[in-house]
Amino acid sequence: MRSKLAIVFALLFILSCKVERPIEIESVNFEFIELEKGVYSCIHKFGGKAICNVGIVDNGKETIVFDSFLSPDVAEELLEALNEMNLSPVKYVVNSHFHNDHIRGNQVFSEAVKIISTARTSEIIEEEEPLQIAYEKENAPARLAYYDSLYKSFNGDTKSREYQQILMWKPYYEILSNSHLKVKTRVPDMFVDSIHNIDGPDRRIQLVSKGQGHTESDLVLYLPDDDIIFTGDLVFNECHPYVPHGNISKWKT
């Protein structure tokens, strides 16, 4: 089985020299940061249930969502927030790779929304997600009990790395313990295996795949006019990358 319960908390990392501006959206799970007009990062809050981060890009004609969270419930909350932000209609959701925390919000988007990934990522999702969900049903409750006990007994520095790890894994396993009840796997139906442009009147958008890296097949979203790139898990911030499904030599290039 490709995906194990030990999957590291996934990070979507945004490379940009722009000034970040918070957006007033109330949520215990995530916060919005405006990178440019029509370009946002939606960042997981420690202790919340977003788990990964999400990118939002409005090209002036349609909105593209980059990755879709682990929890369908949090993805629903994201949709509600987007409806309040006066953006163009969501037309595409991009899955950067196959890990569960980047794809399980797919199901909340309407059938009119295209789900984009590489062809190989789509194949892996279709093959592995049923096995992964069955594995979580069997094993996640015990992991949740372990982290719940750590949380209840913790009496150290709440700013410590140790406590931050507990705040990350406890909600992660809460979600996985119920995944077999809530997840209806939606497999990507549009594929990009080199470069694909989704341009609008406000900006150019490029989806780019260079093949193997963090996984067998990764996809990034690049905004050449804004000097911003959404990388999925090809870049990690302040923690060691998760590498079991990756190719280190190709990742570096």
Side-chain angles (χ1 to χ4, degrees):
M1 183 180 301
R2 297 175 184 274
S3 299
K4 299 297 184 182
L5 286 180
I7 284 180
V8 166
F9 163 50
L11 294 173
L12 174 150
F13 189 74
I14 303 99
L15 303 179
S16 175
C17 60
K18 310 298 183 182
V19 176
E20 299 178 349
R21 297 175 288 274
I23 300 297
E24 297 297 327
I25 299 288
E26 291 189 9
S27 172
V28 299
N29 295 306
F30 54 74
E31 64 177 338
F32 276 94
I33 302 294
E34 183 179 28
L35 304 176
E36 283 288 354
K37 181 176 174 58
V39 183
Y40 307 88
S41 56
C42 186
I43 305 298
H44 165 83
K45 288 183 177 179
F46 272 108
K49 295 183 177 180
I51 306 302
C52 89
N53 304 320
V54 164
I56 309 294
V57 181
D58 185 344
N59 67 9
K61 181 175 65 174
E62 56 220 0
T63 293
I64 293 85
V65 177
F66 187 83
D67 287 330
S68 64
F69 292 142
L70 175 66
S71 164
D73 291 339
V74 179
E76 287 277 12
E77 185 182 351
L78 172 66
L79 267 181
E80 293 175 6
L82 295 180
N83 289 335
E84 297 176 9
M85 293 170 65
N86 196 31
L87 301 175
S88 300
V90 176
K91 186 171 181 180
Y92 302 103
V93 171
V94 178
N95 292 157
S96 62
H97 60 288
F98 75 88
H99 287 159
N100 57 9
D101 52 326
H102 294 256
I103 67 171
R104 290 191 178 169
N106 290 357
Q107 70 187 58
V108 310
F109 293 88
S110 75
E111 290 299 319
V113 175
K114 303 292 288 184
I115 310 295
I116 303 176
S117 73
T118 67
R120 181 58 184 145
T121 291
S122 181
E123 290 174 355
I124 296 172
I125 292 171
E126 188 167 24
E127 294 166 0
E128 298 292 340
E129 267 291 277
L131 302 176
Q132 176 66 18
I133 292 169
Y135 183 81
E136 292 164 6
K137 180 181 179 181
E138 183 72 21
N139 294 278
R143 299 301 295 167
L144 172 58
Y146 170 71
Y147 281 102
D148 191 50
S149 68
L150 292 181
Y151 177 76
K152 291 177 179 177
S153 63
F154 189 84
N155 59 5
D157 182 2
T158 57
K159 295 182 180 180
S160 67
R161 182 71 174 174
E162 179 185 4
Y163 189 69
Q164 294 298 309
Q165 288 288 310
I166 295 171
L167 287 185
M168 179 179 75
W169 289 115
K170 182 175 179 290
Y172 178 78
Y173 287 112
E174 286 176 356
I175 297 168
L176 296 196
S177 294
N178 293 306
S179 59
H180 63 287
L181 300 174
K182 295 195 172 186
V183 174
K184 298 177 181 177
T185 302
R186 184 171 174 190
V187 178
D189 51 13
M190 179 175 171
F191 310 129
V192 174
D193 287 300
S194 55
I195 298 176
H196 180 74
N197 296 313
I198 307 176
D199 297 339
D202 290 352
R203 59 178 39 88
R204 295 181 295 158
I205 299 172
Q206 288 186 342
L207 300 179
V208 182
S209 175
K210 296 292 186 179
Q212 293 179 310
H214 174 64
T215 65
E216 286 185 38
S217 190
D218 296 279
L219 195 58
V220 304
L221 187 154
Y222 177 50
L223 306 178
D225 299 323
D226 299 294
D227 194 27
I228 295 172
I229 183 169
F230 294 90
T231 66
D233 284 354
L234 287 168
V235 178
F236 279 68
N237 186 26
E238 297 184 354
C239 66
H240 194 284
Y242 180 70
V243 299
H245 303 141
N247 184 311
I248 300 300
S249 61
K250 293 186 177 181
W251 196 336
K252 290 167 62 178
T253 59

